[in-house]
Amino acid sequence: MAKTPSSRSGAPKLDPRGRKVKILATVGPASRSPEMLARLFKAGVDAFRVNMSHGEHADHADTIKAIRDLEKEYMRPIAILADLQGPKLRVGKFKDGEAVIRHSGHFTLDRDPTPGDETRVQLPHPELFGLLEKGQRLLINDGKIRLKVISADENAIKCSAEVGGVISDRKGVNVPDAEIPIPALTEKDRKDLAFAVQQGVDWIGLSFVQRPEDLAEARKLMGGRGSLCAKIEKPMAVRRLDEIIEMSDGIMVARGDLGVELEPQEVPPLQKRIVNATRLKGKPVIVATQMLESMIESPAPTRAEVSDVANAVYDGADCVMLSAETAAGDWPEEAVTIMHRIARQVEDDESYLDRVRFLDTPPDATTADALAHACMTVADTVSISAITVFTGSGSTARRVARERPSVPMLVLTPSMKTARRLGLLWGAHAVATKDIGSFEEMIAKGKRMALRHGFGQAGSKLIALAGVPFGTPGSTNLMHVVNVSGDELEKHGG
């Protein structure tokens, strides 16, 4: 993205991205320097993910500060998502550090802390004993070893090895066929959450959500600071998907662990189901994990990876995420550039709007929803350059985004927190600016900001969407079509 001087301060400003889907990039050793963060942002990143599973709080604090400095330099709100590790089930240790489980052989997980061998190992999670039943599965080391329960009691879980192999100390265990009675927040997560909200992050990613109740403790600890994203990576969560969506502010399709616990062919239709269900609720949905996996080591993606990213964009996902590609890969900037180009190409496809609107999102019986739907209809009928949304909480912007209009949204809000959180929302270009006090001020500011941020020119038409009385939350009741004149362009300096 090219830098252009700002009309007011002379500070650099990014031109509009030219796409509606957002890019979320994970920060790690390959990308945490201020210089690389700036390069990723200029390449197309809209939001950064801080992975609390790795690194120290001091390192994360430096990363967050660098992102906020970048935000000031470019005068663009940038969303930060702190992703909590969540509870991890792991086996104990082996006397030789590892052992080999024979294919079709028997293997026991028990409560004995004695180092394990090729026949048994400790499972230091007492909540699993007495819970599992005959025929249920245990997946170890990301599914590389697959065990089936023969019998289980309070002291031992005896299994047969459907797929054997080498097992070593502290490898992870997935239990796809049972709801595990453990909280979604560990003690580490509570400390990480307290740190993240103190640092002012915009989103908290809650891992291994199984039930809507899992969100309650995180909500309480957040105390209204930031938005909560539920990560769907357990098959159990899918059973109560609608309730989880209702309890969260956004959803992540975390295909890593989801792909471990499900058969590979089950993941694509489930991804579409989660995206559709979240879109119906008007909340942002992120598609994550292994999107450009080969670019960890290669400067170019595979054709299958390009299709994977494109399909997520065609499905109408709000955001696509890069994980190790930007956190630890050799080509972080190139990965962002490729993802940006794929999204632009898809959105330029003449069939794109038909595809993203294949999902019917009927408006609720409210004035705000009816007006959001009307914005889409007007933009389809009249040559509109942008929908200018005035909002305090961001709810009006989410209503408009749910309709997937053909033009971008310029979201004007007096709240920097709201502007940042909208960094994950489809089609939203958020600007933190002073609140308005009258209809005339709304029209003037809408035109001025549209010109300043590249969403209009002489002869353009804009839609203004707001609520009267101004500054009153939840009062969206006004839609107005505005003409931008040459005089206003001259006043702006364009």
Side-chain angles (χ1 to χ4, degrees):
M1 289 294 197
K3 287 185 183 180
T4 57
S6 165
S7 61
R8 277 195 171 180
S9 65
K13 175 178 77 72
L14 285 184
D15 293 327
R17 298 293 192 197
R19 58 173 156 75
K20 299 182 177 72
V21 70
K22 299 301 181 72
I23 294 176
L24 172 64
T26 303
V27 181
S31 54
R32 67 163 56 106
S33 72
E35 295 76 19
M36 181 55 77
L37 289 170
R39 287 164 62 183
L40 296 185
F41 180 63
K42 288 187 282 185
V45 169
D46 302 286
F48 288 100
R49 170 178 173 252
V50 177
N51 187 356
M52 304 306 293
S53 298
H54 307 289
E56 302 297 326
H57 282 182
D59 295 329
H60 296 319
D62 289 343
T63 296
I64 292 167
K65 181 181 183 302
I67 295 170
R68 294 306 185 214
D69 289 344
L70 188 63
E71 183 179 68
K72 292 174 185 175
E73 179 184 357
Y74 286 92
M75 298 190 303
R76 290 289 305 120
I78 303 173
I80 300 175
L81 183 148
D83 198 339
L84 304 181
Q85 177 176 288
K88 294 282 189 181
L89 303 178
R90 299 184 185 279
V91 298
K93 294 186 176 182
F94 293 83
K95 62 183 178 182
D96 294 322
E98 63 179 33
V100 177
I101 300 177
R102 292 183 298 107
H103 294 291
S104 302
H106 287 181
F107 191 78
T108 299
L109 300 154
D110 58 36
R111 303 176 73 161
D112 183 355
T114 304
D117 54 28
E118 67 278 1
T119 65
R120 60 154 296 277
V121 73
Q122 180 193 21
L123 183 62
H125 300 285
E127 61 272 7
L128 294 179
F129 294 90
L131 172 73
L132 297 181
E133 299 176 354
K134 181 178 180 180
Q136 291 182 328
R137 296 168 294 160
L138 289 164
L139 311 176
I140 300 175
N141 193 15
D142 291 335
K144 294 181 177 66
I145 294 174
R146 304 172 69 90
L147 307 178
K148 180 170 281 190
V149 177
I150 299 173
S151 64
D153 57 31
E154 295 294 335
N155 297 304
I157 303 168
K158 297 180 180 179
C159 305
S160 62
E162 292 186 328
V163 178
V166 177
I167 181 173
S168 56
D169 293 348
R170 304 289 296 157
K171 286 301 180 185
V173 179
N174 292 79
V175 186
D177 303 325
E179 184 175 303
I180 310 302
I182 55 177
L185 287 172
T186 64
E187 190 56 38
K188 169 180 166 52
D189 293 329
R190 293 185 187 94
K191 292 177 181 177
D192 289 342
L193 176 56
F195 163 80
V197 295
Q198 185 271 329
Q199 290 287 315
V201 304
D202 310 295
W203 286 83
I204 296 292
L206 189 62
S207 297
F208 298 108
V209 173
Q210 298 185 89
R211 54 188 88 79
E213 292 82 4
D214 288 339
L215 300 163
E217 184 182 3
R219 280 271 189 223
K220 182 178 179 181
L221 293 175
M222 289 169 68
R225 296 168 292 176
S227 297
L228 184 59
C229 179
K231 296 171 62 180
I232 306 299
E233 46 199 334
K234 299 282 292 180
M236 291 296 116
V238 180
R239 298 183 181 181
R240 302 182 69 180
L241 180 62
D242 288 340
E243 296 171 82
I244 290 172
I245 295 171
E246 191 68 40
M247 290 284 290
S248 67
D249 299 305
I251 294 291
M252 181 186 293
V253 189
R255 303 181 304 178
D257 278 271
L258 198 58
V260 169
E261 300 202 2
L262 294 170
E263 296 297 330
Q265 69 274 11
E266 295 179 287
V267 176
L270 184 55
Q271 173 180 314
K272 292 181 183 294
R273 176 183 165 189
I274 297 169
V275 169
N276 287 350
T278 310
R279 283 186 54 196
L280 282 171
K281 295 290 186 180
K283 297 181 179 181
V285 55
I286 306 163
V287 175
T289 320
Q290 298 178 333
M291 302 214 78
L292 297 175
E293 185 85 351
S294 67
M295 290 194 74
I296 295 172
E297 299 177 345
S298 169
T302 67
R303 300 300 179 267
E305 289 168 338
V306 172
S307 293
D308 181 39
V309 174
N311 281 328
V313 179
Y314 275 122
D315 286 343
D318 292 78
C319 188
V320 284
M321 190 179 101
L322 293 165
S323 300
E325 300 96 328
T326 53
D330 296 331
W331 307 92
E333 186 177 1
E334 289 78 4
V336 173
T337 300
I338 289 290
M339 183 169 271
H340 170 74
R341 289 175 179 171
I342 295 168
R344 285 286 299 266
Q345 189 73 38
V346 169
E347 293 182 8
D348 285 343
D349 181 358
E350 61 183 14
S351 70
Y352 169 69
L353 268 184
D354 289 336
R355 287 172 179 261
V356 295
R357 290 182 187 170
F358 183 76
L359 176 70
D360 186 23
T361 53
D364 296 337
T366 66
T367 301
D369 265 37
L371 288 175
H373 182 76
C375 285
M376 178 197 72
T377 304
V378 172
D380 286 348
T381 307
V382 182
S383 181
I384 297 290
S385 62
I387 300 169
T388 307
V389 178
F390 295 83
T391 182
S393 67
S395 63
T396 303
R398 290 190 293 272
R399 292 173 191 274
V400 175
R402 185 174 71 163
E403 302 294 332
R404 297 300 189 253
S406 57
V407 298
M409 280 189 295
L410 174 60
V411 184
L412 304 180
T413 176
S415 168
M416 176 58 86
K417 292 180 180 179
T418 295
R420 287 169 174 162
R421 293 174 193 177
L422 293 175
L424 300 182
L425 184 68
W426 186 96
H429 179 94
V431 177
T433 183
K434 291 181 181 179
D435 207 355
I436 52 174
S438 68
F439 178 83
E440 292 75 15
E441 188 180 352
M442 177 190 79
I443 299 303
K445 174 161 279 193
K447 292 179 182 180
R448 188 168 65 251
M449 290 296 180
L451 291 170
R452 182 176 300 164
H453 291 272
F455 290 99
Q457 56 188 357
S460 294
K461 286 186 172 66
L462 306 169
I463 295 174
L465 186 65
V468 179
F470 296 106
T472 303
S475 65
T476 303
N477 57 8
L478 171 67
M479 184 182 76
H480 189 74
V481 178
V482 181
N483 291 295
V484 180
S485 70
D487 290 342
E488 286 151 343
L489 187 62
E490 187 175 337
K491 288 177 187 175
H492 174 71

